[in-house]
Amino acid sequence: MSEKNSLSVYNKKRDFKKTPEPSAQKISHEFANKKSIFVVHKHHASHLHWDLRLEIDGVLKSWAVPKEPPIEPNTKRLAIRVEDHPLSYATFEGTIPEGNYGAGTVEIWDSGEFTLEKSTPKELLVEFFGKKLSGKYVLINTSGKNWLFFKRKGN
Ligand code: MN
């Protein structure tokens, strides 16, 4: 992915004087000695969606999922790749004020650890150890920013 490790898009979209979200410069030490972490934010923006974020290469690779993430196998969800977020975003909850990028309330829907079984530009195989997301999942790039996200059968 060409925007690998870049948090400049994240910063550009936000005015940190106006939003309570963390800036990308804010270095978080709280995850330093942990396994890879994931978080799913439920984001009550103009359109309700869920933001899936996976710690990969020192940032939170992020996807916007328009429908609730599946907890049963084979319910396929569209997941739209969005800009990388800083690791410190993993614990963020709050309300982004009107007029700012992503205005609305952000709450943690699920979080925990995950392992990455396979990572190619077109496919990620992950196993989640969360409360809601638990077991083996896949993300498949179908075209451009569009991915399919679903739980694999047999787990
Ligand atoms: Mn969002």
Side-chain angles (χ1 to χ4, degrees), residues 37-146:
I37 51 124
F38 81 93
V39 62
V40 179
H41 283 115
K42 188 174 182 181
H43 189 176
H44 303 264
S46 51
H47 294 280
L48 172 67
H49 61 275
W50 286 257
D51 290 300
L52 169 67
R53 310 191 195 283
L54 305 178
E55 178 192 5
I56 296 173
D57 295 336
V59 296
L60 292 174
K61 301 286 179 191
S62 298
W63 290 260
V65 183
K67 290 183 179 174
E68 189 168 75
I71 54 173
E72 296 298 329
N74 286 344
T75 300
K76 292 185 171 62
R77 291 289 186 243
L78 172 66
I80 302 154
R81 185 77 167 85
V82 296
E83 78 273 20
D84 294 347
H85 280 49
L87 287 184
S88 50
Y89 209 94
T91 53
F92 175 75
E93 290 190 292
T95 298
I96 301 166
E98 278 300 314
N100 290 276
Y101 179 71
T105 299
V106 176
E107 60 179 312
I108 293 174
W109 181 81
D110 196 17
S111 66
E113 293 178 341
F114 78 98
T115 55
L116 195 55
E117 296 170 24
K118 183 184 176 187
S119 174
T120 73
K122 291 283 180 190
E123 185 182 48
L124 297 175
L125 296 181
V126 299
E127 181 168 8
F128 289 112
F129 302 93
K131 290 197 174 83
K132 290 173 181 161
L133 294 188
S134 177
K136 296 171 188 286
Y137 281 70
V138 63
L139 275 157
I140 297 172
N141 182 228
T142 52
S143 71
K145 292 179 181 295
N146 292 342

